[in-house]
Amino acid sequence: MKEGYEVIYKRPAALTGKRMHYCPGCFHSTIHKMLMEVVQEMDVQDKTIGICPVGCSVFAYDYLDVDMQQAAHGRAAAVATAVKRMLPDRFVFSYQGDGDLAAIGTAETIHACNRGENFTFIFINNGIYGMTGGQMAPTTLDGQKTTTSPYGRDTSKVGMPLKMCEIVSQFEKVAYVERITCNTPANSRKAKRALKKAFEYQQQGLGTTFIEVASNCPSGWKCTPEESLDWLKDKVFPYYPLGVFKEPGKPAK
Amino acid sequence: MGETKLMKGNEALAEAAIRAGMQGYFGYPITPQSEVIEYLALEEPKHNYVLLQAESEVAAINMVYGAAAAGSRVMTTTSSPGFSLMQEGLSYIACAELPCVTVNVCRGGPGLGTIQPSQGDYFQAVRGGGHGDYQLIVLAPNSVQEMVDHTVLGFELADKYRTPAMLLSDGAIGQMMEKVDLPDPIPYKPDKPWATTGKTPDRERNIITSLYIKSEVMEKVNDRLQAKYQKITDNEVRFEEYHLDDAEVVVMAYGLSSRICKKVVDLARESGIKMGLLRPITLWPFPEKKVAELASLDRVKFFFSVEMSVGQMVQDIRLAAEGKKPIYFYGRKGGIVPTPDEVLEFARKKIEEN
Ligand SMILES: Cc1ncc(C[n+]2csc(CCOP(=O)(O)OP(=O)(O)O)c2C)c(N)n1
Ligand code: SF4
Ligand SMILES: [Mg+2]
């Protein structure tokens, strides 16, 4: 450290430091960092177990310096259910994409939420299948072009994009549901607060905590990182509004 | 010492799992094995295992994955269609090297089939029914007593080799009542330093995965798995011999069919036919050395396999016998159990032909 300088910001020690494989501008890296900041601030690194199913973040265990399980595509909620039930005093989170949580794994998601499994879902909704090269997701917006909806999503054929926060907040045993993003410093601060609250509610054993990230995918969306932020603002947030859907002690939305 | 009881196969299996120190059970109801989860649900207040009726067999096997990876002694049970749904999960479990016990109380297929007993899932069990090169240790109980013994053995072998073990049973063994000796509860102390229980400061993080994106690494993982499977093949083959010492005709059968074939051997011997039974207890690893040894004896004229299927184990017998002796097959399908008389009749015909 140079004389006269002081460290005011650095990588949380709970990140391994391995260079991430995520594309430039992708929110996956930002959410990873925030999540590990929360783990560190709550001093629960030795008690945290993460589940990362197939999707761009399947390699999350390379970066998150906590015990991790990789899971089959769609099955993170079942895996996390069992981990939390076997080790109820640990902090358990699943880190899932929209294809994972809202298409192939919908049954596991719904039933874990309905049982009120006491773990935290971190749901990265980027409206696309990032890992497999940009195919249509259950959350792809009306008219949005992907490699399997090359003329734009035709909702008359494939239905409307699924609103998972709106769905899971209906379950009695789900404690906390919030949709966050990290397109601006202000939203990032809110996002981190939400992640922390989810862990705190989990610690209190209040039930399922569900954080959806209105995320981006510059590569899959075939745009620059800057353009992806515009798309979020113009197209995503109007359909997927940010904010709290349900929180302990507060009236449901 | 232990306890002797009259019990249904499925309930005996559940009781054995409790006594073997099972810590978690995840399953979905399906006939003819629902008594397992029902029994565990009734007994739950007396013990401290985790019991959860999953939303599907897909969820159940992935719960097994999570619980096993968290270091627990864990089990699921199902019947044929449910076992089909578990195949992706089992492939992951095998590659991630997680110990667990799975049970298929087999019913007649294909499709929804029948709830009557069958042995039609042999290939699925011994060939690794999911994707990729992997094996399950497959035990084939032929009595209620062996439902108990194999459950305990399954947990032990699974832990010893860090690999999934399974029982391939059938609807008849699952449903029948017999006298069983139950073991005393086995003190189980998990020793799984690899498990994901939380990264304490004294160790690196534990990662449970089946993902190795680099081909060179994935090849090494396969080499490691194959070396383990070789070790299991060298050490864990189990079979039962019945009147093989002077046998000229060797009948092979496992599970329920092996009980019928014991009777066939008795009937054959009464009428002067020197028949003997070789019963594989482990379907994988298969007793191929024993088959090869018998096949090279001059006195042995032929083998035949009796199965409640269209003939699946018969292929393993042919592979092991390497063409040295004729291998025949007799089977019934659709949930029908062959009678000793019809099997003996078949054997007589083959003796005339040879
Ligand atoms: C059973 C199965 N089906 C399909 C796939 C292929 N696959 C891998 S990731 C993926 C979609 C990932 O999309 P998402 O969950 O939204 O995650 P993202 O990559 O966008 O973060 C698919 C279809 C698979 N691995 N397993
Ligand atoms: S493909 Fe999309 S989701 Fe995946 S790392 Fe790249 S930008 Fe992120
Ligand atoms: Mg996605």
PDB file of all heavy atoms in Angstrom, chain A residues 122-140:
ATOM      1  N   ILE A 122     -32.069 -17.337  -5.173  1.00  0.00           N
ATOM      2  CA  ILE A 122     -31.565 -16.189  -5.923  1.00  0.00           C
ATOM      3  C   ILE A 122     -31.819 -16.516  -7.384  1.00  0.00           C
ATOM      4  O   ILE A 122     -31.259 -17.472  -7.933  1.00  0.00           O
ATOM      5  CB  ILE A 122     -30.076 -15.928  -5.614  1.00  0.00           C
ATOM      6  CG1 ILE A 122     -29.953 -15.591  -4.131  1.00  0.00           C
ATOM      7  CG2 ILE A 122     -29.541 -14.794  -6.482  1.00  0.00           C
ATOM      8  CD1 ILE A 122     -28.558 -15.645  -3.602  1.00  0.00           C
ATOM      9  N   PHE A 123     -32.745 -15.767  -7.960  1.00  0.00           N
ATOM     10  CA  PHE A 123     -33.315 -16.102  -9.253  1.00  0.00           C
ATOM     11  C   PHE A 123     -32.849 -15.071 -10.280  1.00  0.00           C
ATOM     12  O   PHE A 123     -33.278 -13.919 -10.250  1.00  0.00           O
ATOM     13  CB  PHE A 123     -34.851 -16.114  -9.107  1.00  0.00           C
ATOM     14  CG  PHE A 123     -35.600 -16.188 -10.402  1.00  0.00           C
ATOM     15  CD1 PHE A 123     -35.147 -16.968 -11.458  1.00  0.00           C
ATOM     16  CD2 PHE A 123     -36.785 -15.468 -10.569  1.00  0.00           C
ATOM     17  CE1 PHE A 123     -35.856 -17.037 -12.649  1.00  0.00           C
ATOM     18  CE2 PHE A 123     -37.492 -15.533 -11.760  1.00  0.00           C
ATOM     19  CZ  PHE A 123     -37.024 -16.307 -12.799  1.00  0.00           C
ATOM     20  N   ILE A 124     -31.954 -15.481 -11.138  1.00  0.00           N
ATOM     21  CA  ILE A 124     -31.386 -14.554 -12.125  1.00  0.00           C
ATOM     22  C   ILE A 124     -32.239 -14.609 -13.394  1.00  0.00           C
ATOM     23  O   ILE A 124     -32.079 -15.500 -14.229  1.00  0.00           O
ATOM     24  CB  ILE A 124     -29.913 -14.916 -12.442  1.00  0.00           C
ATOM     25  CG1 ILE A 124     -29.088 -15.039 -11.149  1.00  0.00           C
ATOM     26  CG2 ILE A 124     -29.322 -13.884 -13.397  1.00  0.00           C
ATOM     27  CD1 ILE A 124     -28.900 -13.762 -10.365  1.00  0.00           C
ATOM     28  N   ASN A 125     -33.138 -13.648 -13.498  1.00  0.00           N
ATOM     29  CA  ASN A 125     -34.046 -13.600 -14.647  1.00  0.00           C
ATOM     30  C   ASN A 125     -33.459 -12.678 -15.714  1.00  0.00           C
ATOM     31  O   ASN A 125     -33.583 -11.462 -15.632  1.00  0.00           O
ATOM     32  CB  ASN A 125     -35.412 -13.095 -14.174  1.00  0.00           C
ATOM     33  CG  ASN A 125     -36.375 -12.927 -15.342  1.00  0.00           C
ATOM     34  OD1 ASN A 125     -36.058 -13.286 -16.480  1.00  0.00           O
ATOM     35  ND2 ASN A 125     -37.540 -12.365 -15.061  1.00  0.00           N
ATOM     36  N   ASN A 126     -32.814 -13.302 -16.706  1.00  0.00           N
ATOM     37  CA  ASN A 126     -32.260 -12.487 -17.797  1.00  0.00           C
ATOM     38  C   ASN A 126     -33.079 -12.656 -19.081  1.00  0.00           C
ATOM     39  O   ASN A 126     -32.648 -12.271 -20.161  1.00  0.00           O
ATOM     40  CB  ASN A 126     -30.781 -12.806 -18.029  1.00  0.00           C
ATOM     41  CG  ASN A 126     -30.552 -14.283 -18.315  1.00  0.00           C
ATOM     42  OD1 ASN A 126     -31.502 -15.037 -18.492  1.00  0.00           O
ATOM     43  ND2 ASN A 126     -29.299 -14.689 -18.371  1.00  0.00           N
ATOM     44  N   GLY A 127     -34.225 -13.296 -18.955  1.00  0.00           N
ATOM     45  CA  GLY A 127     -35.143 -13.375 -20.096  1.00  0.00           C
ATOM     46  C   GLY A 127     -34.644 -14.215 -21.253  1.00  0.00           C
ATOM     47  O   GLY A 127     -35.153 -14.107 -22.377  1.00  0.00           O
ATOM     48  N   ILE A 128     -33.680 -15.078 -20.972  1.00  0.00           N
ATOM     49  CA  ILE A 128     -33.088 -15.833 -22.086  1.00  0.00           C
ATOM     50  C   ILE A 128     -32.307 -17.031 -21.538  1.00  0.00           C
ATOM     51  O   ILE A 128     -32.018 -17.086 -20.341  1.00  0.00           O
ATOM     52  CB  ILE A 128     -32.146 -14.903 -22.899  1.00  0.00           C
ATOM     53  CG1 ILE A 128     -32.025 -15.384 -24.352  1.00  0.00           C
ATOM     54  CG2 ILE A 128     -30.770 -14.768 -22.241  1.00  0.00           C
ATOM     55  CD1 ILE A 128     -31.636 -14.287 -25.306  1.00  0.00           C
ATOM     56  N   TYR A 129     -32.040 -17.981 -22.400  1.00  0.00           N
ATOM     57  CA  TYR A 129     -31.123 -19.066 -22.037  1.00  0.00           C
ATOM     58  C   TYR A 129     -29.722 -18.619 -22.424  1.00  0.00           C
ATOM     59  O   TYR A 129     -29.324 -18.714 -23.579  1.00  0.00           O
ATOM     60  CB  TYR A 129     -31.487 -20.358 -22.788  1.00  0.00           C
ATOM     61  CG  TYR A 129     -32.725 -21.062 -22.274  1.00  0.00           C
ATOM     62  CD1 TYR A 129     -33.553 -20.468 -21.328  1.00  0.00           C
ATOM     63  CD2 TYR A 129     -33.053 -22.333 -22.715  1.00  0.00           C
ATOM     64  CE1 TYR A 129     -34.680 -21.113 -20.845  1.00  0.00           C
ATOM     65  CE2 TYR A 129     -34.183 -22.987 -22.240  1.00  0.00           C
ATOM     66  CZ  TYR A 129     -34.995 -22.374 -21.308  1.00  0.00           C
ATOM     67  OH  TYR A 129     -36.098 -23.015 -20.844  1.00  0.00           O
ATOM     68  N   GLY A 130     -28.991 -18.102 -21.442  1.00  0.00           N
ATOM     69  CA  GLY A 130     -27.656 -17.579 -21.733  1.00  0.00           C
ATOM     70  C   GLY A 130     -26.690 -18.685 -22.119  1.00  0.00           C
ATOM     71  O   GLY A 130     -26.034 -18.644 -23.156  1.00  0.00           O
ATOM     72  N   MET A 131     -26.633 -19.687 -21.274  1.00  0.00           N
ATOM     73  CA  MET A 131     -25.580 -20.686 -21.414  1.00  0.00           C
ATOM     74  C   MET A 131     -25.628 -21.424 -22.753  1.00  0.00           C
ATOM     75  O   MET A 131     -24.607 -21.728 -23.341  1.00  0.00           O
ATOM     76  CB  MET A 131     -25.666 -21.711 -20.294  1.00  0.00           C
ATOM     77  CG  MET A 131     -24.494 -22.689 -20.337  1.00  0.00           C
ATOM     78  SD  MET A 131     -24.688 -24.014 -19.168  1.00  0.00           S
ATOM     79  CE  MET A 131     -23.000 -24.190 -18.619  1.00  0.00           C
ATOM     80  N   THR A 132     -26.844 -21.712 -23.217  1.00  0.00           N
ATOM     81  CA  THR A 132     -26.956 -22.523 -24.431  1.00  0.00           C
ATOM     82  C   THR A 132     -26.987 -21.674 -25.693  1.00  0.00           C
ATOM     83  O   THR A 132     -27.242 -22.196 -26.776  1.00  0.00           O
ATOM     84  CB  THR A 132     -28.200 -23.418 -24.361  1.00  0.00           C
ATOM     85  OG1 THR A 132     -29.258 -22.674 -23.766  1.00  0.00           O
ATOM     86  CG2 THR A 132     -27.939 -24.659 -23.540  1.00  0.00           C
ATOM     87  N   GLY A 133     -26.790 -20.368 -25.543  1.00  0.00           N
ATOM     88  CA  GLY A 133     -26.613 -19.552 -26.735  1.00  0.00           C
ATOM     89  C   GLY A 133     -27.783 -18.677 -27.130  1.00  0.00           C
ATOM     90  O   GLY A 133     -27.923 -18.322 -28.297  1.00  0.00           O
ATOM     91  N   GLY A 134     -28.636 -18.334 -26.158  1.00  0.00           N
ATOM     92  CA  GLY A 134     -29.628 -17.292 -26.446  1.00  0.00           C
ATOM     93  C   GLY A 134     -30.968 -17.765 -26.961  1.00  0.00           C
ATOM     94  O   GLY A 134     -31.592 -17.107 -27.800  1.00  0.00           O
ATOM     95  N   GLN A 135     -31.441 -18.894 -26.473  1.00  0.00           N
ATOM     96  CA  GLN A 135     -32.785 -19.355 -26.863  1.00  0.00           C
ATOM     97  C   GLN A 135     -33.856 -18.693 -25.989  1.00  0.00           C
ATOM     98  O   GLN A 135     -33.559 -18.101 -24.957  1.00  0.00           O
ATOM     99  CB  GLN A 135     -32.895 -20.888 -26.740  1.00  0.00           C
ATOM    100  CG  GLN A 135     -31.976 -21.679 -27.674  1.00  0.00           C
ATOM    101  CD  GLN A 135     -30.582 -21.860 -27.119  1.00  0.00           C
ATOM    102  OE1 GLN A 135     -30.311 -21.490 -25.985  1.00  0.00           O
ATOM    103  NE2 GLN A 135     -29.687 -22.408 -27.924  1.00  0.00           N
ATOM    104  N   MET A 136     -35.103 -18.858 -26.397  1.00  0.00           N
ATOM    105  CA  MET A 136     -36.227 -18.269 -25.680  1.00  0.00           C
ATOM    106  C   MET A 136     -36.380 -18.904 -24.287  1.00  0.00           C
ATOM    107  O   MET A 136     -36.276 -20.118 -24.140  1.00  0.00           O
ATOM    108  CB  MET A 136     -37.509 -18.475 -26.483  1.00  0.00           C
ATOM    109  CG  MET A 136     -38.732 -17.840 -25.856  1.00  0.00           C
ATOM    110  SD  MET A 136     -40.165 -17.981 -26.920  1.00  0.00           S
ATOM    111  CE  MET A 136     -40.378 -19.746 -26.990  1.00  0.00           C
ATOM    112  N   ALA A 137     -36.646 -18.058 -23.312  1.00  0.00           N
ATOM    113  CA  ALA A 137     -36.874 -18.516 -21.936  1.00  0.00           C
ATOM    114  C   ALA A 137     -38.358 -18.328 -21.605  1.00  0.00           C
ATOM    115  O   ALA A 137     -39.076 -17.646 -22.342  1.00  0.00           O
ATOM    116  CB  ALA A 137     -36.006 -17.700 -20.979  1.00  0.00           C
ATOM    117  N   PRO A 138     -38.813 -18.891 -20.491  1.00  0.00           N
ATOM    118  CA  PRO A 138     -40.210 -18.665 -20.096  1.00  0.00           C
ATOM    119  C   PRO A 138     -40.468 -17.201 -19.759  1.00  0.00           C
ATOM    120  O   PRO A 138     -41.614 -16.789 -19.609  1.00  0.00           O
ATOM    121  CB  PRO A 138     -40.382 -19.566 -18.864  1.00  0.00           C
ATOM    122  CG  PRO A 138     -39.009 -19.820 -18.360  1.00  0.00           C
ATOM    123  CD  PRO A 138     -38.125 -19.806 -19.561  1.00  0.00           C
ATOM    124  N   THR A 139     -39.394 -16.439 -19.617  1.00  0.00           N
ATOM    125  CA  THR A 139     -39.463 -15.029 -19.212  1.00  0.00           C
ATOM    126  C   THR A 139     -39.133 -14.076 -20.357  1.00  0.00           C
ATOM    127  O   THR A 139     -39.080 -12.869 -20.146  1.00  0.00           O
ATOM    128  CB  THR A 139     -38.442 -14.817 -18.086  1.00  0.00           C
ATOM    129  OG1 THR A 139     -37.236 -15.462 -18.510  1.00  0.00           O
ATOM    130  CG2 THR A 139     -38.891 -15.431 -16.781  1.00  0.00           C
ATOM    131  N   THR A 140     -38.867 -14.611 -21.531  1.00  0.00           N
ATOM    132  CA  THR A 140     -38.592 -13.762 -22.700  1.00  0.00           C
ATOM    133  C   THR A 140     -39.813 -12.866 -22.958  1.00  0.00           C
ATOM    134  O   THR A 140     -40.951 -13.339 -22.912  1.00  0.00           O
ATOM    135  CB  THR A 140     -38.302 -14.653 -23.926  1.00  0.00           C
ATOM    136  OG1 THR A 140     -37.114 -15.410 -23.654  1.00  0.00           O
ATOM    137  CG2 THR A 140     -38.100 -13.833 -25.185  1.00  0.00           C
TER     138      THR A 140
END
